[in-house]
Structure formats: C-alpha cells, structure tokens
Amino acid sequence: MWLNRDIVSIGDFTKEEVMQVIEKANEMLPYASSGHPEKPLSGKVVSTLFYEPSTRTRLSFESAVFRMGGNVLGFGSLEATSVVKGETLSDTIRIVNSYSDAIILRHPSEGAARLASEFADVPVINAGDGAGQHPTQTLLDIFTIWKELGSVDGKKIGFVGDLKYGRTVHSLSKALSMFDVSLYFISPEELKIPKHIKREIDKKVPVREAKNIEEIIEELDVLYVTRIQKERFPDINEYKKVAGTYVIRPSLLTRGKRNLIIMHPLPRVNEIPPEVDSSPHARYFKQASYGVPLRMALLDLIFRGD
Ligand code: NCD
C-alpha cells in the first residue's frame, strides 16, 4: 500500500494511514539526530524541485534523506535551471524521473503535484502546490498535536489568519475532520476558508466561524496561526487591507487553557511577536523540528513499504 506511493493530497489518506505515519515518526524520533542505523535509503537518490521559496520543507526533507543514508539532488530556486528557458513542468519531471528514485515538488500552481505524478514513474511527493495542499506539513502538524497533547481526538482546534490562501490550513482542516475534533475558523471576511472545504468538513465535525480570537480563546486546545500569504494576492492593495489583522499577544494567552498550544507552520511575519516564544504555550519551533522524523517516516514507508 505504501511502497512507491505518490503523496499528493491528504484526501488520499485514511485516518488509519495517518496514524501509521504518526506512529512511525515517533519511532524515528531518536534517529532524526543520530541517523537511522539501517540506512534504509542507501544508494537511493531523491530530487527536491522547489519552484517556490522554502526553508523548513526542503531542508527537513533533505536532512531526512541524509539521515536515512540516501542522496539528494535538485534546486531551491529557478535561476540556474532550464525553467527560465521556458521548459514545461512535464518535461522537467520526465527528465528528473530518470535521474532519481523519488521527486519532492513545490510549485506555485494548484494541481502541479498531481500533474507531475502522471508524468513520473517514481513517487511524487507534494511539498506545496500553490494555495492547494501541503500534505506532509499536515502530517507533521498532526504529529505535533498528538505528541504535545497526547491525542488528537477530543481536541478543539482553532485556525487563525489567512484561511483562504493558506494551503497548510486547507490540508490540515481536511485531515482533522477524520478525527473526533471541533474546528474553529477565525479570519477577516476577505480571508475566510474556501466554501468547498468548509462544506466538506462541516459534514463530519462541528465547525464554528468567528471574527475575533477573544471570542473563543478560552475553549481551545490548539491555536494554529498562519501568515497572510502576500504572494497569492492578485492585488497588493487587497493584501495591505488585511496585513497585521491578527497579532497573538502574550496578554491574549493568559485567557487560554493551561495546556493550550500555539502552532504555526512558519515563516512568521508579525502575527506572533517574539515575546511569545518563551511562553509555555509556544510549540512552533518544536513543530518545525518534528519535520525531520516525520519525513523520515514517510520516506521509510514509501521506500520499504509497511
Ligand atoms: C508554509 C507553506 O509554504 O505553505 N510553510 C511551510 O511549508 N512550513 C506556510 C507559509 O508559507 O506561510
């Protein structure tokens, strides 16, 4: 089931499969710093093709490959590639398919990873397709909730910020709707969660929308904060209208539950001021560190099966 599988959309997974990755990531945790003793990716080549900026996703994938004994090739920006000469995605994928054993792709167009998977024989992993999906971030987000709070079921999770363009929100809210959770969406009118996603989630779990975090902070177990996705706005003036709408101040957190955790896929701009970093609620750096064991788990499943 896992061997050579494409990871394109979180919608392709069952809850059991999500939990299988989570449990494997937990096993990988010690190896994320020491390296996997069996070197399961020995002799394997993994490509990372990043058509959009990335720090955590690309570097944690590359670290995961190295920790598993494999090798990486690829690019993190387009200047030195044939993309600037006008090469199509499908041609690039056809070529890289013959140079490597798996392709990790980030691209500005929604649906790019699905398209790539049709042109590649090797597995394609979606590392973010425009405002679409970011399934491996979702798995690491669920791992963080599970690890830091002991379970996912029974939790009340609030999303705040750019729910319209934020692909991490789109994937994570869909995945969480397979669990026994309540979801809260807090955003300005212009950045509400897309209707088609809300409709899908609404059928499965209780959903509440709010304009102010203050209205719901006391109820939450997880506050998932996101950056306003400046690069996705068709008009910069629209961005300026909503920039800085939500800032998580330490005073707000004093009203939260004792065990409330603050997550953020990062990078942050100004939505979480540095004063919050030392708060016992802050988990975003821990969350980013879980990127390596989680991606090791995923690669292990794809390369060795279950
Ligand atoms: C996110 C992304 O690229 O979607 N970052 C990440 O992968 N950790 C979030 C963002 O860019 O705001």
Side-chain angles (χ1 to χ4, degrees):
M1 257 199 318
W2 282 100
L3 202 62
N4 292 323
R5 181 169 178 175
D6 295 314
I7 311 294
V8 170
S9 164
I10 202 70
D12 302 338
F13 289 85
T14 62
K15 179 179 176 181
E16 289 64 37
E17 286 171 332
V18 169
M19 288 316 297
Q20 200 182 346
V21 184
I22 300 308
E23 275 155 29
K24 184 153 293 282
N26 203 34
E27 287 167 30
M28 293 289 171
L29 213 43
Y31 306 148
S33 44
S34 66
H36 197 299
E38 292 167 29
K39 304 283 174 251
L41 264 64
S42 174
K44 300 289 181 197
V45 176
V46 174
S47 342
T48 51
L49 310 186
F50 278 65
Y51 289 70
E52 272 195 339
S54 169
T55 300
R56 275 149 293 272
T57 306
R58 185 165 67 90
L59 299 187
S60 64
F61 255 122
E62 295 189 352
S63 176
V65 173
F66 290 129
R67 297 289 197 210
M68 310 270 288
N71 296 290
V72 170
L73 55 81
F75 52 81
S77 61
L78 303 178
E79 295 90 64
T81 72
S82 284
V83 177
V84 291
K85 298 181 185 172
E87 185 164 60
T88 60
L89 176 64
S90 54
D91 277 3
T92 304
I93 293 296
R94 276 193 191 105
I95 303 307
V96 176
N97 178 61
S98 66
Y99 297 167
S100 56
D101 301 297
I103 297 172
I104 299 165
L105 175 72
R106 171 170 288 187
H107 197 278
S109 307
E110 220 170 307
R114 181 76 69 199
L115 178 88
S117 72
E118 278 153 25
F119 286 91
D121 305 315
V122 300
V124 171
I125 303 178
N126 183 2
D129 62 328
Q133 286 252 333
H134 195 346
T136 66
Q137 177 72 40
T138 291
L139 293 167
L140 96 80
D141 292 341
I142 293 182
F143 182 65
T144 306
I145 298 172
W146 180 82
K147 196 75 189 153
E148 298 300 309
L149 294 177
S151 70
V152 179
D153 284 322
K155 300 294 179 252
K156 295 185 171 174
I157 297 147
F159 292 90
V160 64
D162 189 344
L163 313 186
K164 179 176 182 183
Y165 296 116
R167 56 192 171 200
T168 65
V169 175
H170 302 166
S171 299
L172 181 57
S173 57
K174 264 193 194 184
L176 286 172
S177 71
M178 295 192 286
F179 291 81
D180 176 20
V181 295
S182 302
L183 299 182
Y184 299 72
F185 294 114
I186 309 127
S187 71
E189 192 58 36
E190 296 87 340
L191 297 178
K192 277 168 82 162
I193 186 106
K195 273 204 188 105
H196 70 276
I197 299 180
K198 179 158 181 263
R199 228 178 278 130
E200 202 184 311
I201 294 170
D202 242 347
K203 287 187 223 142
K204 300 186 192 154
V205 294
V207 171
R208 200 175 130 189
E209 285 186 280
K211 283 232 173 60
N212 301 307
I213 312 174
E214 288 75 10
E215 288 171 44
I216 48 124
I217 186 75
E218 287 158 24
E219 297 182 38
L220 299 179
D221 299 295
V222 178
L223 181 61
Y224 191 96
V225 187
T226 61
R227 175 179 69 90
I228 311 264
Q229 310 277 298
K230 185 178 181 184
E231 67 276 28
R232 312 246 181 259
F233 281 73
D235 177 351
I236 190 71
N237 291 316
E238 294 299 315
Y239 167 73
K240 286 184 185 151
K241 270 194 227 159
V242 288
T245 317
Y246 295 106
V247 177
I248 310 302
R249 307 233 172 259
S251 54
L252 173 77
L253 301 181
T254 59
R255 297 183 36 208
K257 285 186 190 169
R258 198 170 54 84
N259 291 335
L260 166 72
I261 62 169
I262 311 296
M263 294 173 60
H264 191 308
L266 301 176
R268 63 174 155 178
V269 184
N270 52 11
E271 56 280 1
I272 304 183
E275 302 90 88
V276 176
D277 298 355
S278 55
S279 148
H281 301 293
R283 286 298 192 289
Y284 30 93
F285 291 121
K286 193 84 181 278
Q287 178 187 359
S289 77
Y290 288 145
V292 177
L294 190 286
R295 291 179 168 116
M296 287 173 76
L298 204 53
L299 291 166
D300 196 57
L301 288 165
I302 293 171
F303 278 97
R304 295 208 289 189
D306 42 12

